[in-house]
């Protein structure tokens, strides 16, 4: 048996942990023979460090980050904690990234707001968490272009709810200059939380509709299993 350690960031907001638990349950439903263990890097329990030390000796395990971007936590925090734990046989899977399946979930969330891909007066702001890693931000920015493929919108652009630029307000102003008469915010987040609440407050105050985060969608779980399978195959080959 192999273990998938579903590793989420963690938040003070209980909705974040609830979403992670729902994804873990979906993984178990899709792959009943897989041992799925949920862990958090901070601000919630069980901790990632405890999950590592609790692994049975000799158990193959894959750490599957419940993260969209390959930034600090995926590049440094998780590898450092694995090294400190001194547990052998662990592989780290890739982050979810800008996978087309997740972009399709974002389209579903917009469709829930009756957003039409043929609305040439519409501007779409994809809001994500920013990183100090410029390469990670550049990859995240690709989501807006992917989301707009095949549409006739006035435009779609990225905004970051945390630094760096462009801010949500700057992205909104940019789309209005490009001719957008109506706007909608598409949050590139896995779950609601304190940051998405701030974005929602901005949207409400400015009369802008905002879609729901990706949530515990089956395609999120499918993407995680794809990352897990690739990491496990590499572990066996090694």
């Amino acid at each position: 048996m192999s273990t998938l350690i579903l590793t989420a960031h963690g938040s003070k907001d209980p909705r974040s942990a609830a979403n992670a638990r729902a994804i873990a349950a979906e993984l178990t439903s899709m792959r009943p023979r897989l041992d799925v263990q949920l862990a958090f890097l901070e601000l919630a329990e069980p901790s990632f460090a405890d999950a590592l030390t609790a692994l049975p000796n000799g158990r193959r395990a894959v750490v599957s980050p419940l993260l969209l971007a390959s930034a600090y936590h995926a590049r440094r925090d998780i590898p450092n904690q694995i090294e400190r734990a001194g547990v052998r046989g662990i592989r780290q899977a890739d982050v979810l990234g800008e996978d087309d399946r997740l972009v399709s979930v974002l389209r579903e969330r917009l469709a829930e707001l009756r957003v039409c891909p043929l609305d040439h007066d519409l501007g779409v702001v994809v809001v994500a968490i920013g990183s100090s890693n410029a390469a990670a931000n550049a990859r995240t920015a690709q989501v807006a272009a992917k989301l707009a493929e095949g549409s006739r919108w006035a435009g779609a652009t990225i905004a970051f709810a945390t630094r760096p630029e462009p801010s949500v307000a700057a992205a909104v102003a940019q789309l209005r200059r490009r001719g957008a008469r109506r706007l909608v915010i598409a949050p590139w987040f896995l779950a609601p939380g304190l940051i998405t609440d701030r974005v929602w407050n901005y949207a409400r105050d400015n009369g802008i509709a905002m879609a729901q985060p990706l949530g515990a969608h089956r395609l999120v779980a499918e993407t995680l299993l794809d990352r897990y399978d690739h990491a496990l195959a590499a572990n066996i080959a090694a």
Side-chain angles (χ1 to χ4, degrees), residues 188-225:
W188 187 242
F189 285 76
L190 288 164
L194 302 178
I195 296 177
T196 56
D197 283 352
R198 290 204 302 268
V199 178
W200 187 88
N201 288 337
Y202 170 87
R204 177 201 60 198
D205 293 345
N206 288 274
I208 300 172
M210 178 169 165
Q212 293 296 316
L214 303 179
H217 196 284
R218 186 175 179 85
L219 289 178
V220 174
E222 182 180 301
T223 306
L224 280 162
L225 287 175

Side-chain angles (χ1 to χ4, degrees), residues 20 26 32 45 59 65 69 72 107 130 152 155 157 178 200 204 237:
E26 184 67 25
E45 296 292 335
R59 172 70 59 85
Y72 168 75
R107 288 197 187 98
R152 296 184 182 177
T157 191
R178 292 168 60 179
W200 187 88
R204 177 201 60 198

Side-chain angles (χ1 to χ4, degrees), residues 2-195:
S2 181
T3 295
L4 185 158
I5 304 177
L6 182 64
T7 307
H9 181 281
S11 169
K12 293 179 180 178
D13 192 311
R15 293 172 295 175
S16 177
N19 186 70
R21 286 193 292 270
I23 293 174
E26 184 67 25
L27 291 170
T28 299
S29 174
M30 295 172 68
R31 196 82 60 92
R33 295 174 63 89
L34 178 62
D35 177 36
V36 178
Q37 299 292 329
L38 177 62
F40 299 91
L41 294 168
E42 56 186 47
L43 302 173
E45 296 292 335
S47 73
F48 179 54
D50 288 344
L52 290 174
T53 56
L55 283 172
N57 289 332
R59 172 70 59 85
R60 287 187 313 218
V62 172
V63 174
S64 295
L66 187 56
L67 302 169
L68 290 169
S70 181
Y72 168 75
H73 288 291
R75 291 176 174 272
R76 297 183 60 184
D77 190 14
I78 291 175
N80 287 346
Q81 291 202 48
I82 292 174
E83 184 178 0
R84 285 198 298 271
V87 183
R88 295 182 178 180
I90 294 180
R91 283 272 179 173
Q92 180 180 334
D94 289 338
V95 297
L96 293 166
E98 304 73 46
D99 195 281
D100 289 344
R101 288 166 289 197
L102 304 186
V103 176
S104 72
V105 176
L106 196 57
R107 288 197 187 98
E108 285 188 31
R109 298 295 178 241
L110 289 176
E112 292 167 359
L113 297 178
R114 300 180 183 272
V115 167
C116 175
L118 303 181
D119 186 350
H120 56 80
D121 289 328
L122 184 70
V124 179
V125 182
V126 177
V127 181
I129 291 180
S131 168
S132 59
N133 186 305
N137 292 332
R139 287 191 294 273
T140 300
Q142 296 173 12
V143 174
K146 288 187 174 187
L147 187 65
E149 287 178 0
S151 77
R152 296 184 182 177
W153 296 332
T157 191
I158 193 71
F160 294 109
T162 56
R163 291 184 179 183
E165 293 287 337
S167 66
V168 178
V172 164
Q174 179 192 65
L175 288 173
R176 283 178 172 154
R177 287 194 300 270
R178 292 168 60 179
R181 297 182 181 181
R182 291 182 297 279
L183 294 161
V184 65
I185 290 175
W188 187 242
F189 285 76
L190 288 164
L194 302 178
I195 296 177

